[in-house]
Amino acid sequence: MPISILQYESDIWSSADSLRSAGLKQSDFPKYMMPFFALRMVESRLIREHKRLSEEFGKTEHNTDDYIEYFLTAGLGYNDYVIRNNKTLSDICANDKTFESDFKTYLGAFDEETRHLLGVDKGNDEEKYLDISGVCGILRAKKILFSIVQGWSKIDLEPFDNSEITTLEEHIKRKWADISAETAGEQYTPDDIIALISDIVASKIQDNQEFLTLYDPTSGGGNLIFGVEDKLATKTSRPIKTHGMDWNSSLYALAKIESRFRIDSDIKYGNTLTDTAFIDKSFDVIVANPPYGVDWKDYRKAIETDKTGRFVALPAISDGQLLFDQHIVYHLDNDGIAVVVNNGSSLFSGDAGSGESTIRKYFFDKDWVEAIIQMPTDEFFNTGIYTYLWVFNKNKPTERKDKIILIDGSNKYIPLKKSKGKKRREMSESNRADIIQALSDFQDNDFSRVFDKWYFYYNKQTIMLTNVDSEGKFIEEKIKLKPTKITQTGEEGTFELKTFELSNFDKTKYNDIFECYEATMAPAINAFDYKENELVVEAEGKFYTYNKDEETILVQTGYAPGQNDNKAKRMGCGKIQIKSTYKKATKTAEAKYIITVELVPDLQKDYEIIAYSPNEEENRANIAAFMTKYVTRPFEYLDNTVGVEINFNKIFNQPEKLERIEDILADLKQLEADLATLENALAL
């Protein structure tokens, strides 16, 4: 690749000075630059193709119309001003007096699809894509349109091929990502990561001359899908057709324009999660860098009612990346390979039974996950977080069935001499080769581990515990009491309840029994607290209290506040439950409230995380053994939910090596000697 093409990077960004001086916000710079970059892409490639086709056709001044028809059938786009009249943007900018009319004619001379993508003279209700007319209107009002267009006209991309122009495009879009991307990694995947993804794909496909379909459901401006296409073209002789979709109108337009200069490419505009344009297709290879940390609330109804069968479960509304992952495996051919960039939350977010865990379990149950590779931090241009490559393979080799390799590539990098936004590191060719070798070997080494997939499953066993007192006793079954008096003594004094049925009420004060109950009895009943206050229930000549220190209910024949009868009987841990029940009026009885008291078991819902076995009998035995060893209170089994979670830090954690105590003491002794020498020197 000639280095000269990258010299235009600084020329392109010099236009930002004019935007800044016009008072335009930096975060809006890409909006004002993308249309002109697309314009230069289109014109330079049209001119290059014009020269190639005219030589191929044998164009002369006598067969111009036939040649134009021939050019149009190539499907590359067209501009009559450029092709027939030989007037380029540079020619238009040579005369500032005629610039406005010439520039308008120039834009109008493009073919319909190019005008559509550039956003030439779009109506208010139309999708504007790159919105070049709207952008020009603002720049015209700021009186900088001519200087901006003139600056861009000097960017001569004609001598460079598609791959080289794409390289420059990637560098420009990387800066756009730095200043405008709302989501980490949303717009731009670095070239070294693209190279690694391409290497992974190349290591998994056969070079058998068969047609290869390549898909990116979050194609953005196309740098990932076209970058992989270009790199695969150097590694395999298989013809490639690319497919992509994106919901960002301006980035879609860039990718669509680029796609027309590719041999076989189909880029569509739409929301991947709700659009079904590709729903009947499956693909040999899928690559993607889906947005993460982006909510899907605006499409919630459409996704929840999706009829395609793509979504087996739904993740938290705040992050839709696992929706994209499900979409990807849905479209992956039965012999297909997919490499997807995710952040860490896709590995561990969500408890067993949650949408996230259910989705991971689905991938693992199907045995589609072959590898997960951790990338270094500071690899992307607008985020410093860890990212991970998920390698999905629907046709694992027999020896890899039900197995997965985790590769820790966090240390596989070289530092950049100059940071690019938040990108301070990149993977060298040697770093990438190490990872590909580990994936190929599929063996444990110092930075990779092979596991049975079941290692990542776990039981979340829910149980109902029965709390016990200090002697291990507990109320086993519900005991109904027939109370005659309830006394509670607290900070606000002593309250007594002697009436346990309310049917009559003062009709001069209350409208109905409900109003009477709410005013007289409800506050007292709601305030009853057998643990925090001194509560005594008298029933059939016995007194029931709760001893907080012993966590037990006592029953005795006599009771004095602050004292426990030595003859009190310990009933065990339990709750003194005081409730009110409303009874509707009948033909023979008025409506009434009845106050009841019961002694009930003190139950506590809990769960335990227990290792999982795919053998059902063994799994039950594992759970039972765990409970016997670690749970000492009585309990009942409730639901058991199986979850899946991947914890890279736990697996690849390398504890810090501590110094020997002898070495530490020696260092301290030496420091003391050095300090004494220094004190003596200062004294002199």
Side-chain angles (χ1 to χ4, degrees), residues 366-379:
K366 291 289 188 179
D367 198 26
W368 289 339
V369 182
E370 182 169 349
I372 301 176
I373 307 167
Q374 180 170 275
M375 299 289 96
T377 57
D378 302 322
E379 249 291 354

Side-chain angles (χ1 to χ4, degrees), residues 377-429:
T377 57
D378 302 322
E379 249 291 354
F380 285 78
F381 296 103
N382 53 350
T383 180
I385 65 174
Y386 278 117
T387 52
Y388 300 81
L389 300 185
W390 285 64
V391 180
F392 294 100
N393 187 348
K394 284 196 174 179
N395 188 22
K396 286 185 184 181
T398 302
E399 67 275 11
R400 299 190 182 192
K401 297 292 185 184
D402 292 329
K403 294 184 182 296
I404 178 175
I405 186 170
L406 301 190
I407 300 176
D408 179 14
S410 60
N411 294 313
K412 299 294 181 181
Y413 67 86
I414 57 175
L416 291 177
K417 293 181 180 178
K418 182 180 179 182
S419 297
K420 298 176 180 178
K422 292 183 179 180
K423 182 175 175 64
R424 300 177 178 88
R425 299 167 174 174
E426 68 179 0
M427 285 186 154
S428 67
E429 185 175 353

Side-chain angles (χ1 to χ4, degrees), residues 319-367:
D319 189 353
Q321 67 179 319
L322 283 168
L323 291 174
F324 287 103
D325 291 350
Q326 291 178 88
H327 171 87
I328 286 164
V329 297
Y330 176 86
H331 281 287
L332 191 61
D333 188 77
N334 290 333
D335 293 324
I337 184 81
V339 185
V340 186
V341 184
N342 277 340
N343 72 355
S345 70
S346 63
L347 300 174
F348 50 75
S349 63
D351 202 356
S354 68
E356 294 87 345
S357 180
T358 302
I359 294 165
R360 287 191 293 270
K361 185 174 181 295
Y362 171 67
F363 294 156
F364 277 57
D365 286 349
K366 291 289 188 179
D367 198 26

